[in-house]
Amino acid sequence: MADVSKAVGEIVSSGVRNNWKPTVLPADPEATGQLQEWLASEEYNLNGMGRDFRGADLSGGDFSDAWFTDAVLTGVRLVGASFYRADLQSADLTGADLTGADLVRANLDDAVLRSARLDGAHMARATLCDADASGASFRGTRILGASLLDTDMRGADLTDAVLYENFFEIKVDESTVVHGLTGTVFGPITVFSGESSRELAGAELESWIGARGGQVQVIPPRRQPK
């Protein structure tokens, strides 16, 4: 596995904004106006803070360094979109389709990703602290050097996802799928069963994932997340 810095460099998109238009505009006229103004201007960063983008198909858009803090992106199609270094803190992405999206260095702290699809997404050095990703799909997702602290992944699907030196203090349950999950993490995770929970770390965490078809190595943390 290459180091995280090299992986980030390989993943960063070249930018597609100049030739891109939304397939479907948001239902909210204010969000539509914000998008159209941004596309027509020379400004690089879109300010979508607090805007309601529901009903839109923004697949393939380059939203690098954009602000989507507190934005409503529920059910929005964002297939192959780039959110490199974008701020999605506290955004509602419930049921959004982020298949193949570039989320390198994206801030998803406190975001809601319930039942969202992130299959094949690139999440090197992303942060998902206190995020709700319950029921989300991360099939084949590359999660490298990321910070997942108190992240709810109960019912999430991590089939064939690749991990690399992630702070992985997540919440899981028996419905969380880890078949084919590989890589390295710092742990620990919290496993919920009904009203009870238990914390797993080290060899115990490796065994829990291994019994469910994954192969993950738990390693000592080298540093604390910033």
Side-chain angles (χ1 to χ4, degrees):
M1 174 74 69
D3 62 33
V4 175
S5 297
K6 183 177 181 181
V8 170
E10 291 173 349
I11 292 169
V12 174
S13 63
S14 58
V16 295
R17 176 186 165 196
N18 292 338
N19 299 313
W20 176 82
K21 292 182 180 179
T23 303
V24 181
L25 288 165
D28 180 65
E30 291 187 358
T32 290
Q34 191 78 26
L35 269 172
Q36 291 175 329
E37 181 180 339
W38 170 68
L39 287 167
S41 73
E42 296 299 321
E43 295 181 10
Y44 183 73
N45 301 335
L46 171 66
N47 185 351
M49 295 176 63
R51 298 294 188 188
D52 186 345
F53 292 92
R54 284 178 294 180
D57 185 342
L58 307 178
S59 298
D62 184 356
F63 304 107
S64 299
D65 295 298
W67 290 285
F68 286 98
T69 313
D70 295 313
V72 180
L73 293 149
T74 306
V76 174
R77 279 181 52 82
L78 299 160
V79 176
S82 175
F83 293 94
Y84 176 68
R85 288 188 180 274
D87 191 340
L88 291 141
Q89 184 169 356
S90 300
D92 188 348
L93 290 140
T94 302
D97 190 348
L98 290 144
T99 302
D102 174 359
L103 292 159
V104 173
R105 298 181 183 270
N107 177 8
L108 287 153
D109 293 347
D110 298 303
V112 179
L113 291 155
R114 286 192 296 266
S115 302
R117 178 173 292 179
L118 298 101
D119 299 344
H122 302 293
M123 303 186 73
R125 290 189 176 172
T127 62
L128 291 89
C129 301
D130 297 302
D132 181 357
S134 54
S137 182
F138 295 89
R139 297 174 67 90
T141 304
R142 295 174 66 190
I143 308 173
L144 316 175
S147 295
L148 289 82
L149 304 177
D150 202 27
T151 304
D152 192 343
M153 302 189 87
R154 284 175 282 191
D157 186 350
L158 290 154
T159 300
D160 296 329
V162 179
L163 310 175
Y164 181 69
E165 295 192 359
N166 299 298
F167 289 94
F168 207 58
E169 297 179 16
I170 64 173
K171 302 172 184 176
V172 301
D173 60 16
E174 291 301 324
S175 65
T176 303
V177 181
V178 294
H179 184 80
L181 180 67
T182 58
T184 54
V185 297
F186 297 126
I189 69 170
T190 302
V191 180
F192 286 82
S193 179
E195 297 298 319
S196 63
S197 65
R198 58 192 175 113
E199 190 173 278
L200 301 180
E204 195 175 12
L205 172 54
E206 291 178 359
S207 295
W208 187 89
I209 293 174
R212 289 157 180 80
Q215 188 174 2
V216 169
Q217 179 186 5
V218 180
I219 56 178
R222 296 176 181 172
R223 60 191 181 282
Q224 292 297 317
K226 296 181 180 179

